[in-house]
PDB file of all heavy atoms in Angstrom:
ATOM      1  N   ALA A   5     -81.765 -63.362  37.732  1.00  0.00           N
ATOM      2  CA  ALA A   5     -82.720 -64.339  38.217  1.00  0.00           C
ATOM      3  C   ALA A   5     -84.210 -63.828  38.080  1.00  0.00           C
ATOM      4  O   ALA A   5     -85.062 -64.546  37.606  1.00  0.00           O
ATOM      5  CB  ALA A   5     -82.444 -64.669  39.755  1.00  0.00           C
ATOM      6  N   TYR A   6     -84.420 -62.583  38.554  1.00  0.00           N
ATOM      7  CA  TYR A   6     -85.742 -61.967  38.441  1.00  0.00           C
ATOM      8  C   TYR A   6     -86.130 -61.751  36.965  1.00  0.00           C
ATOM      9  O   TYR A   6     -87.266 -62.057  36.613  1.00  0.00           O
ATOM     10  CB  TYR A   6     -85.866 -60.759  39.210  1.00  0.00           C
ATOM     11  CG  TYR A   6     -86.103 -60.932  40.669  1.00  0.00           C
ATOM     12  CD1 TYR A   6     -85.074 -61.171  41.558  1.00  0.00           C
ATOM     13  CD2 TYR A   6     -87.372 -60.966  41.210  1.00  0.00           C
ATOM     14  CE1 TYR A   6     -85.307 -61.418  42.958  1.00  0.00           C
ATOM     15  CE2 TYR A   6     -87.641 -61.244  42.536  1.00  0.00           C
ATOM     16  CZ  TYR A   6     -86.578 -61.417  43.473  1.00  0.00           C
ATOM     17  OH  TYR A   6     -86.831 -61.604  44.750  1.00  0.00           O
ATOM     18  N   THR A   7     -85.215 -61.329  36.174  1.00  0.00           N
ATOM     19  CA  THR A   7     -85.527 -61.058  34.806  1.00  0.00           C
ATOM     20  C   THR A   7     -85.924 -62.329  34.035  1.00  0.00           C
ATOM     21  O   THR A   7     -86.895 -62.380  33.307  1.00  0.00           O
ATOM     22  CB  THR A   7     -84.286 -60.349  34.052  1.00  0.00           C
ATOM     23  OG1 THR A   7     -83.994 -59.146  34.757  1.00  0.00           O
ATOM     24  CG2 THR A   7     -84.614 -60.079  32.559  1.00  0.00           C
ATOM     25  N   LEU A   8     -85.097 -63.349  34.206  1.00  0.00           N
ATOM     26  CA  LEU A   8     -85.424 -64.629  33.572  1.00  0.00           C
ATOM     27  C   LEU A   8     -86.763 -65.170  34.054  1.00  0.00           C
ATOM     28  O   LEU A   8     -87.587 -65.701  33.227  1.00  0.00           O
ATOM     29  CB  LEU A   8     -84.349 -65.672  33.777  1.00  0.00           C
ATOM     30  CG  LEU A   8     -84.474 -66.996  33.096  1.00  0.00           C
ATOM     31  CD1 LEU A   8     -84.621 -66.836  31.643  1.00  0.00           C
ATOM     32  CD2 LEU A   8     -83.335 -67.911  33.498  1.00  0.00           C
ATOM     33  N   ALA A   9     -87.021 -65.069  35.330  1.00  0.00           N
ATOM     34  CA  ALA A   9     -88.307 -65.554  35.868  1.00  0.00           C
ATOM     35  C   ALA A   9     -89.518 -64.733  35.298  1.00  0.00           C
ATOM     36  O   ALA A   9     -90.532 -65.354  34.872  1.00  0.00           O
ATOM     37  CB  ALA A   9     -88.334 -65.462  37.379  1.00  0.00           C
ATOM     38  N   VAL A  10     -89.352 -63.470  35.211  1.00  0.00           N
ATOM     39  CA  VAL A  10     -90.398 -62.623  34.582  1.00  0.00           C
ATOM     40  C   VAL A  10     -90.623 -62.924  33.140  1.00  0.00           C
ATOM     41  O   VAL A  10     -91.752 -63.165  32.660  1.00  0.00           O
ATOM     42  CB  VAL A  10     -90.166 -61.132  34.777  1.00  0.00           C
ATOM     43  CG1 VAL A  10     -91.103 -60.293  33.977  1.00  0.00           C
ATOM     44  CG2 VAL A  10     -90.262 -60.775  36.277  1.00  0.00           C
ATOM     45  N   VAL A  11     -89.494 -63.096  32.423  1.00  0.00           N
ATOM     46  CA  VAL A  11     -89.641 -63.440  31.037  1.00  0.00           C
ATOM     47  C   VAL A  11     -90.360 -64.806  30.809  1.00  0.00           C
ATOM     48  O   VAL A  11     -91.209 -64.891  29.910  1.00  0.00           O
ATOM     49  CB  VAL A  11     -88.265 -63.397  30.309  1.00  0.00           C
ATOM     50  CG1 VAL A  11     -88.280 -64.024  28.932  1.00  0.00           C
ATOM     51  CG2 VAL A  11     -87.731 -61.979  30.225  1.00  0.00           C
ATOM     52  N   LEU A  12     -89.932 -65.791  31.580  1.00  0.00           N
ATOM     53  CA  LEU A  12     -90.558 -67.117  31.414  1.00  0.00           C
ATOM     54  C   LEU A  12     -92.011 -67.063  31.768  1.00  0.00           C
ATOM     55  O   LEU A  12     -92.864 -67.649  31.104  1.00  0.00           O
ATOM     56  CB  LEU A  12     -89.878 -68.136  32.354  1.00  0.00           C
ATOM     57  CG  LEU A  12     -88.433 -68.547  31.853  1.00  0.00           C
ATOM     58  CD1 LEU A  12     -87.732 -69.357  32.897  1.00  0.00           C
ATOM     59  CD2 LEU A  12     -88.586 -69.372  30.518  1.00  0.00           C
ATOM     60  N   ASN A  13     -92.379 -66.285  32.822  1.00  0.00           N
ATOM     61  CA  ASN A  13     -93.846 -66.194  33.202  1.00  0.00           C
ATOM     62  C   ASN A  13     -94.608 -65.469  32.122  1.00  0.00           C
ATOM     63  O   ASN A  13     -95.728 -65.832  31.781  1.00  0.00           O
ATOM     64  CB  ASN A  13     -93.982 -65.529  34.545  1.00  0.00           C
ATOM     65  CG  ASN A  13     -93.565 -66.445  35.649  1.00  0.00           C
ATOM     66  OD1 ASN A  13     -94.067 -67.612  35.766  1.00  0.00           O
ATOM     67  ND2 ASN A  13     -92.700 -65.988  36.527  1.00  0.00           N
ATOM     68  N   LEU A  14     -94.060 -64.389  31.550  1.00  0.00           N
ATOM     69  CA  LEU A  14     -94.679 -63.667  30.437  1.00  0.00           C
ATOM     70  C   LEU A  14     -94.838 -64.571  29.225  1.00  0.00           C
ATOM     71  O   LEU A  14     -95.870 -64.510  28.524  1.00  0.00           O
ATOM     72  CB  LEU A  14     -93.982 -62.366  30.142  1.00  0.00           C
ATOM     73  CG  LEU A  14     -94.048 -61.276  31.258  1.00  0.00           C
ATOM     74  CD1 LEU A  14     -93.184 -60.079  30.843  1.00  0.00           C
ATOM     75  CD2 LEU A  14     -95.503 -60.887  31.438  1.00  0.00           C
ATOM     76  N   PHE A  15     -93.832 -65.431  29.025  1.00  0.00           N
ATOM     77  CA  PHE A  15     -93.910 -66.355  27.881  1.00  0.00           C
ATOM     78  C   PHE A  15     -95.030 -67.340  28.080  1.00  0.00           C
ATOM     79  O   PHE A  15     -95.753 -67.623  27.133  1.00  0.00           O
ATOM     80  CB  PHE A  15     -92.562 -67.041  27.717  1.00  0.00           C
ATOM     81  CG  PHE A  15     -92.534 -67.930  26.443  1.00  0.00           C
ATOM     82  CD1 PHE A  15     -92.600 -67.282  25.169  1.00  0.00           C
ATOM     83  CD2 PHE A  15     -92.387 -69.258  26.543  1.00  0.00           C
ATOM     84  CE1 PHE A  15     -92.604 -68.115  24.019  1.00  0.00           C
ATOM     85  CE2 PHE A  15     -92.406 -70.072  25.369  1.00  0.00           C
ATOM     86  CZ  PHE A  15     -92.448 -69.464  24.164  1.00  0.00           C
ATOM     87  N   CYS A  16     -95.285 -67.758  29.321  1.00  0.00           N
ATOM     88  CA  CYS A  16     -96.400 -68.639  29.635  1.00  0.00           C
ATOM     89  C   CYS A  16     -97.739 -67.939  29.265  1.00  0.00           C
ATOM     90  O   CYS A  16     -98.657 -68.536  28.721  1.00  0.00           O
ATOM     91  CB  CYS A  16     -96.423 -69.127  31.056  1.00  0.00           C
ATOM     92  SG  CYS A  16     -95.197 -70.379  31.380  1.00  0.00           S
ATOM     93  N   LEU A  17     -97.782 -66.662  29.635  1.00  0.00           N
ATOM     94  CA  LEU A  17     -98.982 -65.880  29.323  1.00  0.00           C
ATOM     95  C   LEU A  17     -99.211 -65.789  27.758  1.00  0.00           C
ATOM     96  O   LEU A  17    -100.342 -65.948  27.319  1.00  0.00           O
ATOM     97  CB  LEU A  17     -98.939 -64.494  29.931  1.00  0.00           C
ATOM     98  CG  LEU A  17     -99.139 -64.394  31.473  1.00  0.00           C
ATOM     99  CD1 LEU A  17     -98.868 -62.996  31.922  1.00  0.00           C
ATOM    100  CD2 LEU A  17    -100.582 -64.815  31.808  1.00  0.00           C
ATOM    101  N   PHE A  18     -98.133 -65.590  27.134  1.00  0.00           N
ATOM    102  CA  PHE A  18     -98.175 -65.496  25.604  1.00  0.00           C
ATOM    103  C   PHE A  18     -98.730 -66.839  25.081  1.00  0.00           C
ATOM    104  O   PHE A  18     -99.560 -66.812  24.176  1.00  0.00           O
ATOM    105  CB  PHE A  18     -96.853 -65.112  25.057  1.00  0.00           C
ATOM    106  CG  PHE A  18     -96.764 -65.302  23.566  1.00  0.00           C
ATOM    107  CD1 PHE A  18     -97.377 -64.398  22.702  1.00  0.00           C
ATOM    108  CD2 PHE A  18     -96.052 -66.397  23.052  1.00  0.00           C
ATOM    109  CE1 PHE A  18     -97.359 -64.640  21.352  1.00  0.00           C
ATOM    110  CE2 PHE A  18     -95.975 -66.584  21.695  1.00  0.00           C
ATOM    111  CZ  PHE A  18     -96.637 -65.722  20.847  1.00  0.00           C
ATOM    112  N   LEU A  19     -98.125 -67.974  25.528  1.00  0.00           N
ATOM    113  CA  LEU A  19     -98.529 -69.233  25.074  1.00  0.00           C
ATOM    114  C   LEU A  19    -100.002 -69.491  25.319  1.00  0.00           C
ATOM    115  O   LEU A  19    -100.762 -70.011  24.489  1.00  0.00           O
ATOM    116  CB  LEU A  19     -97.729 -70.359  25.661  1.00  0.00           C
ATOM    117  CG  LEU A  19     -96.237 -70.386  25.212  1.00  0.00           C
ATOM    118  CD1 LEU A  19     -95.471 -71.444  26.011  1.00  0.00           C
ATOM    119  CD2 LEU A  19     -96.186 -70.689  23.719  1.00  0.00           C
ATOM    120  N   GLY A  20    -100.435 -69.093  26.530  1.00  0.00           N
ATOM    121  CA  GLY A  20    -101.843 -69.294  26.874  1.00  0.00           C
ATOM    122  C   GLY A  20    -102.767 -68.483  25.947  1.00  0.00           C
ATOM    123  O   GLY A  20    -103.783 -68.976  25.423  1.00  0.00           O
ATOM    124  N   TYR A  21    -102.350 -67.262  25.701  1.00  0.00           N
ATOM    125  CA  TYR A  21    -103.134 -66.435  24.732  1.00  0.00           C
ATOM    126  C   TYR A  21    -103.204 -67.066  23.385  1.00  0.00           C
ATOM    127  O   TYR A  21    -104.223 -67.117  22.728  1.00  0.00           O
ATOM    128  CB  TYR A  21    -102.502 -64.984  24.675  1.00  0.00           C
ATOM    129  CG  TYR A  21    -102.965 -64.165  23.518  1.00  0.00           C
ATOM    130  CD1 TYR A  21    -104.117 -63.428  23.608  1.00  0.00           C
ATOM    131  CD2 TYR A  21    -102.269 -64.194  22.335  1.00  0.00           C
ATOM    132  CE1 TYR A  21    -104.651 -62.731  22.531  1.00  0.00           C
ATOM    133  CE2 TYR A  21    -102.823 -63.456  21.209  1.00  0.00           C
ATOM    134  CZ  TYR A  21    -103.960 -62.778  21.306  1.00  0.00           C
ATOM    135  OH  TYR A  21    -104.423 -62.043  20.229  1.00  0.00           O
ATOM    136  N   ARG A  22    -102.002 -67.513  22.939  1.00  0.00           N
ATOM    137  CA  ARG A  22    -101.951 -68.049  21.625  1.00  0.00           C
ATOM    138  C   ARG A  22    -102.828 -69.237  21.389  1.00  0.00           C
ATOM    139  O   ARG A  22    -103.568 -69.417  20.434  1.00  0.00           O
ATOM    140  CB  ARG A  22    -100.532 -68.407  21.245  1.00  0.00           C
ATOM    141  CG  ARG A  22    -100.345 -68.671  19.789  1.00  0.00           C
ATOM    142  CD  ARG A  22     -98.967 -68.376  19.303  1.00  0.00           C
ATOM    143  NE  ARG A  22     -98.861 -68.574  17.881  1.00  0.00           N
ATOM    144  CZ  ARG A  22     -98.071 -69.439  17.302  1.00  0.00           C
ATOM    145  NH1 ARG A  22     -97.201 -70.171  18.007  1.00  0.00           N
ATOM    146  NH2 ARG A  22     -98.070 -69.594  16.000  1.00  0.00           N
ATOM    147  N   PHE A  23    -102.814 -70.161  22.453  1.00  0.00           N
ATOM    148  CA  PHE A  23    -103.699 -71.337  22.381  1.00  0.00           C
ATOM    149  C   PHE A  23    -105.183 -71.092  22.479  1.00  0.00           C
ATOM    150  O   PHE A  23    -106.000 -71.722  21.893  1.00  0.00           O
ATOM    151  CB  PHE A  23    -103.301 -72.412  23.476  1.00  0.00           C
ATOM    152  CG  PHE A  23    -102.243 -73.357  22.972  1.00  0.00           C
ATOM    153  CD1 PHE A  23    -100.898 -73.056  23.172  1.00  0.00           C
ATOM    154  CD2 PHE A  23    -102.585 -74.520  22.216  1.00  0.00           C
ATOM    155  CE1 PHE A  23     -99.918 -73.953  22.658  1.00  0.00           C
ATOM    156  CE2 PHE A  23    -101.629 -75.386  21.761  1.00  0.00           C
ATOM    157  CZ  PHE A  23    -100.324 -75.138  21.972  1.00  0.00           C
ATOM    158  N   LEU A  24    -105.502 -69.967  23.194  1.00  0.00           N
ATOM    159  CA  LEU A  24    -106.925 -69.584  23.258  1.00  0.00           C
ATOM    160  C   LEU A  24    -107.435 -68.860  22.045  1.00  0.00           C
ATOM    161  O   LEU A  24    -108.564 -68.999  21.606  1.00  0.00           O
ATOM    162  CB  LEU A  24    -107.138 -68.670  24.489  1.00  0.00           C
ATOM    163  CG  LEU A  24    -107.030 -69.423  25.856  1.00  0.00           C
ATOM    164  CD1 LEU A  24    -107.061 -68.397  27.030  1.00  0.00           C
ATOM    165  CD2 LEU A  24    -108.075 -70.409  26.008  1.00  0.00           C
ATOM    166  N   PHE A  25    -106.550 -67.993  21.382  1.00  0.00           N
ATOM    167  CA  PHE A  25    -107.041 -67.159  20.297  1.00  0.00           C
ATOM    168  C   PHE A  25    -106.475 -67.529  18.936  1.00  0.00           C
ATOM    169  O   PHE A  25    -106.956 -67.019  17.913  1.00  0.00           O
ATOM    170  CB  PHE A  25    -106.713 -65.708  20.663  1.00  0.00           C
ATOM    171  CG  PHE A  25    -107.431 -65.222  21.852  1.00  0.00           C
ATOM    172  CD1 PHE A  25    -106.832 -65.116  23.052  1.00  0.00           C
ATOM    173  CD2 PHE A  25    -108.808 -64.931  21.772  1.00  0.00           C
ATOM    174  CE1 PHE A  25    -107.527 -64.646  24.170  1.00  0.00           C
ATOM    175  CE2 PHE A  25    -109.542 -64.525  22.875  1.00  0.00           C
ATOM    176  CZ  PHE A  25    -108.929 -64.452  24.104  1.00  0.00           C
ATOM    177  N   GLN A  26    -105.409 -68.376  18.887  1.00  0.00           N
ATOM    178  CA  GLN A  26    -104.898 -68.815  17.626  1.00  0.00           C
ATOM    179  C   GLN A  26    -104.561 -70.272  17.775  1.00  0.00           C
ATOM    180  O   GLN A  26    -103.373 -70.731  17.610  1.00  0.00           O
ATOM    181  CB  GLN A  26    -103.595 -68.055  17.247  1.00  0.00           C
ATOM    182  CG  GLN A  26    -103.843 -66.578  17.079  1.00  0.00           C
ATOM    183  CD  GLN A  26    -102.522 -65.783  16.871  1.00  0.00           C
ATOM    184  OE1 GLN A  26    -101.456 -66.253  17.223  1.00  0.00           O
ATOM    185  NE2 GLN A  26    -102.626 -64.642  16.270  1.00  0.00           N
ATOM    186  N   PRO A  27    -105.510 -71.118  18.053  1.00  0.00           N
ATOM    187  CA  PRO A  27    -105.128 -72.532  18.502  1.00  0.00           C
ATOM    188  C   PRO A  27    -104.542 -73.393  17.426  1.00  0.00           C
ATOM    189  O   PRO A  27    -103.672 -74.132  17.701  1.00  0.00           O
ATOM    190  CB  PRO A  27    -106.539 -73.088  18.864  1.00  0.00           C
ATOM    191  CG  PRO A  27    -107.559 -72.171  18.270  1.00  0.00           C
ATOM    192  CD  PRO A  27    -106.912 -70.828  18.107  1.00  0.00           C
ATOM    193  N   GLY A  28    -104.914 -73.142  16.126  1.00  0.00           N
ATOM    194  CA  GLY A  28    -104.331 -73.979  15.090  1.00  0.00           C
ATOM    195  C   GLY A  28    -102.800 -73.741  14.941  1.00  0.00           C
ATOM    196  O   GLY A  28    -102.036 -74.692  15.002  1.00  0.00           O
ATOM    197  N   PRO A  29    -102.416 -72.501  14.735  1.00  0.00           N
ATOM    198  CA  PRO A  29    -100.953 -72.207  14.663  1.00  0.00           C
ATOM    199  C   PRO A  29    -100.213 -72.592  15.936  1.00  0.00           C
ATOM    200  O   PRO A  29     -99.050 -73.029  15.881  1.00  0.00           O
ATOM    201  CB  PRO A  29    -100.906 -70.766  14.379  1.00  0.00           C
ATOM    202  CG  PRO A  29    -102.192 -70.364  13.817  1.00  0.00           C
ATOM    203  CD  PRO A  29    -103.238 -71.333  14.415  1.00  0.00           C
ATOM    204  N   ALA A  30    -100.833 -72.368  17.078  1.00  0.00           N
ATOM    205  CA  ALA A  30    -100.211 -72.695  18.374  1.00  0.00           C
ATOM    206  C   ALA A  30     -99.942 -74.206  18.446  1.00  0.00           C
ATOM    207  O   ALA A  30     -98.902 -74.595  18.892  1.00  0.00           O
ATOM    208  CB  ALA A  30    -101.068 -72.223  19.554  1.00  0.00           C
ATOM    209  N   ALA A  31    -100.885 -74.989  18.043  1.00  0.00           N
ATOM    210  CA  ALA A  31    -100.709 -76.461  18.044  1.00  0.00           C
ATOM    211  C   ALA A  31     -99.644 -76.881  17.111  1.00  0.00           C
ATOM    212  O   ALA A  31     -98.838 -77.773  17.505  1.00  0.00           O
ATOM    213  CB  ALA A  31    -102.065 -77.157  17.684  1.00  0.00           C
ATOM    214  N   THR A  32     -99.572 -76.274  15.950  1.00  0.00           N
ATOM    215  CA  THR A  32     -98.474 -76.572  15.005  1.00  0.00           C
ATOM    216  C   THR A  32     -97.133 -76.217  15.587  1.00  0.00           C
ATOM    217  O   THR A  32     -96.214 -77.048  15.525  1.00  0.00           O
ATOM    218  CB  THR A  32     -98.697 -75.860  13.632  1.00  0.00           C
ATOM    219  OG1 THR A  32     -99.952 -76.280  13.186  1.00  0.00           O
ATOM    220  CG2 THR A  32     -97.656 -76.140  12.668  1.00  0.00           C
ATOM    221  N   GLY A  33     -97.076 -75.036  16.234  1.00  0.00           N
ATOM    222  CA  GLY A  33     -95.852 -74.651  16.888  1.00  0.00           C
ATOM    223  C   GLY A  33     -95.429 -75.589  18.058  1.00  0.00           C
ATOM    224  O   GLY A  33     -94.271 -75.770  18.330  1.00  0.00           O
ATOM    225  N   TYR A  34     -96.405 -76.126  18.719  1.00  0.00           N
ATOM    226  CA  TYR A  34     -96.157 -77.095  19.787  1.00  0.00           C
ATOM    227  C   TYR A  34     -95.481 -78.390  19.329  1.00  0.00           C
ATOM    228  O   TYR A  34     -94.692 -78.957  20.005  1.00  0.00           O
ATOM    229  CB  TYR A  34     -97.513 -77.386  20.480  1.00  0.00           C
ATOM    230  CG  TYR A  34     -97.440 -78.385  21.599  1.00  0.00           C
ATOM    231  CD1 TYR A  34     -97.144 -77.999  22.907  1.00  0.00           C
ATOM    232  CD2 TYR A  34     -97.708 -79.720  21.348  1.00  0.00           C
ATOM    233  CE1 TYR A  34     -97.088 -78.968  23.886  1.00  0.00           C
ATOM    234  CE2 TYR A  34     -97.685 -80.675  22.391  1.00  0.00           C
ATOM    235  CZ  TYR A  34     -97.365 -80.301  23.642  1.00  0.00           C
ATOM    236  OH  TYR A  34     -97.288 -81.217  24.663  1.00  0.00           O
ATOM    237  N   GLY A  35     -95.814 -78.659  18.090  1.00  0.00           N
ATOM    238  CA  GLY A  35     -95.164 -79.863  17.504  1.00  0.00           C
ATOM    239  C   GLY A  35     -96.165 -80.949  17.150  1.00  0.00           C
ATOM    240  O   GLY A  35     -95.744 -81.998  16.571  1.00  0.00           O
ATOM    241  N   VAL A  36     -97.391 -80.836  17.538  1.00  0.00           N
ATOM    242  CA  VAL A  36     -98.430 -81.796  17.216  1.00  0.00           C
ATOM    243  C   VAL A  36     -99.591 -81.068  16.684  1.00  0.00           C
ATOM    244  O   VAL A  36    -100.460 -80.602  17.441  1.00  0.00           O
ATOM    245  CB  VAL A  36     -98.795 -82.655  18.469  1.00  0.00           C
ATOM    246  CG1 VAL A  36     -99.840 -83.721  18.062  1.00  0.00           C
ATOM    247  CG2 VAL A  36     -97.549 -83.255  19.075  1.00  0.00           C
ATOM    248  N   PRO A  37     -99.734 -80.927  15.368  1.00  0.00           N
ATOM    249  CA  PRO A  37    -100.849 -80.120  14.778  1.00  0.00           C
ATOM    250  C   PRO A  37    -102.201 -80.752  15.178  1.00  0.00           C
ATOM    251  O   PRO A  37    -102.297 -81.960  15.359  1.00  0.00           O
ATOM    252  CB  PRO A  37    -100.609 -80.235  13.322  1.00  0.00           C
ATOM    253  CG  PRO A  37     -99.247 -80.633  13.171  1.00  0.00           C
ATOM    254  CD  PRO A  37     -98.784 -81.382  14.338  1.00  0.00           C
ATOM    255  N   ALA A  38    -103.141 -79.857  15.397  1.00  0.00           N
ATOM    256  CA  ALA A  38    -104.484 -80.327  15.804  1.00  0.00           C
ATOM    257  C   ALA A  38    -105.474 -79.301  15.125  1.00  0.00           C
ATOM    258  O   ALA A  38    -105.253 -78.167  14.997  1.00  0.00           O
ATOM    259  CB  ALA A  38    -104.559 -80.299  17.337  1.00  0.00           C
ATOM    260  N   ASP A  39    -106.689 -79.870  14.846  1.00  0.00           N
ATOM    261  CA  ASP A  39    -107.737 -79.059  14.270  1.00  0.00           C
ATOM    262  C   ASP A  39    -108.559 -78.468  15.331  1.00  0.00           C
ATOM    263  O   ASP A  39    -109.300 -79.206  16.053  1.00  0.00           O
ATOM    264  CB  ASP A  39    -108.591 -79.935  13.406  1.00  0.00           C
ATOM    265  CG  ASP A  39    -109.752 -79.206  12.753  1.00  0.00           C
ATOM    266  OD1 ASP A  39    -109.781 -77.924  12.854  1.00  0.00           O
ATOM    267  OD2 ASP A  39    -110.652 -79.842  12.226  1.00  0.00           O
ATOM    268  N   PRO A  40    -108.515 -77.149  15.556  1.00  0.00           N
ATOM    269  CA  PRO A  40    -109.290 -76.499  16.648  1.00  0.00           C
ATOM    270  C   PRO A  40    -110.764 -76.624  16.423  1.00  0.00           C
ATOM    271  O   PRO A  40    -111.550 -76.553  17.419  1.00  0.00           O
ATOM    272  CB  PRO A  40    -108.849 -75.027  16.649  1.00  0.00           C
ATOM    273  CG  PRO A  40    -108.024 -74.807  15.398  1.00  0.00           C
ATOM    274  CD  PRO A  40    -107.719 -76.223  14.851  1.00  0.00           C
ATOM    275  N   GLY A  41    -111.260 -76.873  15.212  1.00  0.00           N
ATOM    276  CA  GLY A  41    -112.691 -77.003  14.925  1.00  0.00           C
ATOM    277  C   GLY A  41    -113.086 -78.407  15.132  1.00  0.00           C
ATOM    278  O   GLY A  41    -114.315 -78.711  15.139  1.00  0.00           O
ATOM    279  N   GLY A  42    -112.219 -79.409  15.297  1.00  0.00           N
ATOM    280  CA  GLY A  42    -112.561 -80.777  15.464  1.00  0.00           C
ATOM    281  C   GLY A  42    -112.556 -81.225  16.886  1.00  0.00           C
ATOM    282  O   GLY A  42    -112.840 -80.382  17.776  1.00  0.00           O
ATOM    283  N   ASP A  43    -112.222 -82.465  17.088  1.00  0.00           N
ATOM    284  CA  ASP A  43    -112.252 -82.984  18.441  1.00  0.00           C
ATOM    285  C   ASP A  43    -111.161 -82.374  19.367  1.00  0.00           C
ATOM    286  O   ASP A  43    -111.223 -82.581  20.585  1.00  0.00           O
ATOM    287  CB  ASP A  43    -112.011 -84.496  18.415  1.00  0.00           C
ATOM    288  CG  ASP A  43    -113.201 -85.283  17.815  1.00  0.00           C
ATOM    289  OD1 ASP A  43    -114.242 -84.643  17.723  1.00  0.00           O
ATOM    290  OD2 ASP A  43    -113.017 -86.450  17.355  1.00  0.00           O
TER     291      ASP A  43
END
Side-chain angles (χ1 to χ4, degrees):
Y6 277 86
T7 300
L8 183 57
V10 169
V11 167
L12 288 170
N13 287 309
L14 290 174
F15 187 64
C16 285
L17 286 173
F18 167 75
L19 290 175
Y21 166 84
R22 192 151 183 241
F23 270 93
L24 290 172
F25 296 103
Q26 300 172 339
T32 300
Y34 176 84
V36 182
D39 178 12
D43 292 342

